[in-house]
Amino acid sequence: MANCHQLFQDFNESIALDSEHKKSLRQSRDAVRNKIKAYFKNKNNGLTPKFHGQGSFMMHTIIEPLDGEYDIDDGIYFQVEKEPSVTVHTFHRWICEAVDGHTAEKPVDKQTCVRLIYTKKYHLDLPVYYILEGASPYLAHKGKGWITSDPREFIRWFNQKADSDGQLKRIVRYLKAWSDYRKGELPSGLIFSILAANNIAHDERDDVAFYQTLRNIKYSLNLNFACYRPTTPTHENLLEDYSKTNKAYFMSQLSNFVASAEEALDEDTNEEDASKCWRYHFGKERFPLGVAKQTKNIYFSESVFNRDYVDSSVSLGSYDNTEEFIEDQYPIHLQYYLRINCRVHQNGWRTRLLHELIARNLLVPTQKKLEFFISDCNVPKPYTVKWKVRNVGDEAIRRNCIRGKIVEDTGKQRKEETSDFHGPHYVECYVVKNGICVARARIDVAIKDEAW
């Protein structure tokens, strides 16, 4: 089994904020605090703001995002004896006035906060609260009025869950890095923090702990697709508003990640190939490439079927590695849902869908016609569809038929193939809109020389 613990440690170093960035962010935050304090001092309306950092910056789970724009939260609290007579909108306006001119861009008055934008650097969100002695804070929500909310309580809850080695915080960073790379409708950092804390499976190795935590999250969500906030407002289901499409996208991405993690941890996978499994979900620009320390002929397929077919005792000779990667051709910003399926045809036999065979633990026999097609897609037209067919395993290598080139769809949103020889194979589909890959899907096909 490849041990990628050190690769994960290096990955964590690359995505976590370094000390210089943290120092700079604190200085910027403190400057804004001083400006708000001065505003209310000059206003002399009896209100004195106090501050409490919140979110991933205070929890030490913040990551360096791929787009370079950090998200920092700093709560503004007013201790009062009774509910303020002025409206939520007035409090928002006061904060906008207090920070106006501090940066080149005007502050943005959002529903739950005032956002201060530091162009191409980060943005600072400033939610406003009032506190009555002995009670939970109330957040100034422009759409709902004053609502109970206590992010300080959540930080305390999370820190109580955190281990002294920091593994939980690293796992949250890994989840956020996955979401940052995949884009699309993956959960927020808050949701991932709760799911990780409730499903953590500690291990001396980060790769094993991360896989087991992923598996636990998947299992819990399959039982009940919900994520309840553990602190005020208690029992709020943060996944309640997920649409059917977004839920399907998230769960399919999670299932694919678990499958790749299982392949990475398989006893026959070397470090280089294991790292490629992880890089597929984290991005090859950020997750380090391992070293092929074993001499076995193991070939990365991004498919859980790979280990069933590669015969490491046989010398397979040279072959042309023709695989192409969509990341090398287009920017990736997965923001839509895409699902593909496959019809299996043969004269004299009833046409079957591939998932029906999988459900019955059947492999696809050779010499069948395979018709891959888009079964669900919510990308607004117009767009371009592209396909990749990848053969993996000893037979594909012997035949020098690895394939893997990305080809454009003919306009029918389908790709026809034949099951020529046994081994693991997979097909990926990409939707490209305005020069950006906005959706992708994949289906694995295991072919064996046997009849149904």
Side-chain angles (χ1 to χ4, degrees):
M1 179 192 299
N3 186 337
C4 290
H5 173 68
Q6 187 56 51
L7 297 182
F8 268 83
Q9 294 281 302
D10 295 342
F11 178 51
N12 178 63
E13 288 295 318
S14 71
I15 61 177
L17 277 187
D18 59 37
S19 57
E20 285 300 313
H21 272 114
K22 289 180 180 178
K23 180 180 178 181
S24 175
L25 290 173
R26 287 193 186 97
Q27 289 174 341
S28 296
R29 180 199 65 187
D30 291 346
V32 173
R33 287 181 174 184
N34 290 333
K35 196 157 188 177
I36 294 172
K37 288 178 183 177
Y39 173 87
F40 281 93
K41 183 177 181 180
N42 293 333
K43 200 168 191 63
N44 195 26
N45 60 1
L47 294 173
T48 302
K50 294 184 178 181
F51 302 86
H52 196 287
Q54 57 194 57
S56 59
F57 185 74
M58 291 298 293
M59 293 162 57
H60 304 289
T61 59
I62 190 171
I63 67 168
E64 296 213 28
L66 288 170
D67 61 11
E69 185 173 340
Y70 304 100
D71 179 6
I72 310 298
D73 301 280
D74 198 28
I76 306 171
Y77 293 80
F78 295 95
Q79 183 82 42
V80 295
E81 295 182 355
K82 61 180 181 179
E83 181 177 333
S85 58
V86 296
T87 67
V88 162
H89 289 75
T90 299
F91 271 91
H92 275 240
R93 176 172 58 81
W94 284 342
I95 302 304
C96 285
E97 292 174 354
V99 299
D100 191 19
H102 189 71
T103 61
E105 294 194 39
K106 298 281 288 184
V108 180
D109 192 2
K110 301 177 70 67
Q111 287 283 82
T112 59
C113 67
V114 173
R115 175 169 292 178
L116 191 59
I117 300 173
Y118 294 75
T119 307
K120 297 182 180 179
K121 291 183 179 180
Y122 67 96
H123 59 261
L124 177 63
D125 285 341
L126 300 164
V128 182
Y129 304 83
Y130 81 79
I131 308 179
L132 299 173
E133 186 174 353
S136 296
Y138 290 83
L139 169 68
H141 191 297
K142 288 175 62 179
K144 300 178 181 179
W146 294 105
I147 61 174
T148 308
S149 178
D150 194 351
R152 305 169 307 166
E153 185 184 0
F154 180 81
I155 294 175
R156 291 193 294 269
W157 173 85
F158 183 81
N159 286 337
Q160 289 172 357
K161 291 277 190 178
D163 55 293
S164 58
D165 182 54
Q167 189 169 67
L168 172 59
K169 294 182 180 181
R170 293 195 300 274
I171 284 178
V172 172
R173 291 193 200 103
Y174 301 149
L175 288 168
K176 293 172 71 172
W178 170 44
S179 179
D180 186 40
Y181 175 67
R182 282 297 182 197
K183 304 297 183 184
E185 291 298 330
L186 292 183
S188 66
L190 173 63
I191 293 174
F192 271 140
S193 297
I194 298 171
L195 291 176
N198 288 337
N199 294 280
I200 183 73
H202 291 290
D203 191 272
E204 61 182 7
R205 288 171 46 182
D206 273 14
D207 55 346
V208 174
F210 184 66
Y211 157 65
Q212 292 176 342
T213 302
L214 278 179
R215 188 179 61 179
N216 290 347
I217 291 173
K218 178 187 173 186
Y219 178 77
S220 67
L221 292 177
N222 279 333
L223 290 177
N224 181 23
F225 189 77
C227 177
Y228 294 101
R229 189 190 294 270
T231 56
T232 306
T234 54
H235 307 303
E236 176 190 7
N237 181 8
L238 299 174
L239 290 174
E240 186 174 11
D241 294 333
Y242 257 51
S243 68
K244 182 179 179 180
T245 297
N246 290 343
K247 174 185 175 181
Y249 175 78
F250 172 35
M251 294 305 293
S252 67
Q253 292 295 316
L254 182 59
S255 296
N256 288 342
F257 207 166
V258 169
S260 292
E262 289 174 347
E263 183 176 357
L265 294 171
D266 183 78
E267 60 182 10
D268 289 330
T269 305
N270 65 31
E271 183 184 284
E272 180 182 3
D273 294 331
S275 70
K276 290 179 180 177
C277 293
W278 299 116
R279 283 156 66 98
Y280 179 72
H281 298 276
F282 289 130
K284 60 184 179 179
E285 296 82 8
R286 292 210 287 193
F287 195 89
L289 180 65
V291 178
K293 296 178 181 178
Q294 301 174 7
T295 58
K296 295 180 180 181
N297 290 316
I298 303 294
Y299 297 89
F300 173 63
S301 68
E302 297 173 358
S303 164
V304 296
F305 298 115
N306 183 36
R307 56 180 174 269
D308 298 327
Y309 289 92
V310 177
D311 184 355
S312 60
S313 65
V314 179
S315 176
L316 301 178
S318 62
Y319 65 96
D320 297 323
N321 188 356
T322 56
E323 185 173 13
E324 298 176 344
F325 299 93
I326 196 69
E327 293 89 346
D328 296 331
Q329 299 184 9
Y330 299 96
I332 307 297
H333 182 49
L334 303 179
Q335 53 188 305
Y336 296 103
Y337 180 71
L338 175 67
R339 176 177 289 179
I340 60 176
N341 209 329
C342 175
R343 297 186 184 95
V344 182
H345 302 272
Q346 185 182 24
N347 291 337
W349 294 85
R350 179 174 64 86
T351 297
R352 305 189 188 196
L353 291 174
L354 180 60
H355 72 80
E356 294 175 351
L357 303 182
I358 294 174
R360 298 175 58 190
N361 294 319
L362 296 175
L363 302 179
V364 177
T366 55
Q367 306 308 313
K368 297 289 186 290
K369 177 183 174 183
L370 306 178
E371 179 190 1
F372 299 92
F373 62 95
I374 293 177
S375 59
D376 195 5
C377 176
N378 68 347
V379 182
K381 294 182 179 180
Y383 54 75
T384 301
V385 174
K386 294 180 179 291
W387 298 90
K388 178 167 81 172
V389 179
R390 179 79 155 90
N391 300 325
V392 184
D394 53 354
E395 188 66 20
I397 294 169
R398 285 193 184 96
R399 296 180 180 225
N400 192 17
C401 192
I402 293 295
R403 299 182 66 185
K405 289 188 176 181
I406 296 175
V407 299
E408 192 156 338
D409 184 78
T410 60
K412 298 181 179 180
Q413 296 194 355
R414 62 190 62 223
K415 185 82 171 70
E416 294 185 357
E417 295 286 326
T418 55
S419 53
D420 291 334
F421 54 88
H422 75 271
H425 314 263
Y426 68 85
V427 173
E428 287 194 334
C429 182
Y430 317 99
V431 176
V432 178
K433 185 176 180 65
N434 298 326
I436 299 172
C437 178
V438 296
R440 70 191 296 172
R442 165 192 171 118
I443 191 167
D444 293 294
V445 186
I447 300 174
K448 201 164 187 178
D449 290 323
E450 61 179 27
W452 280 325

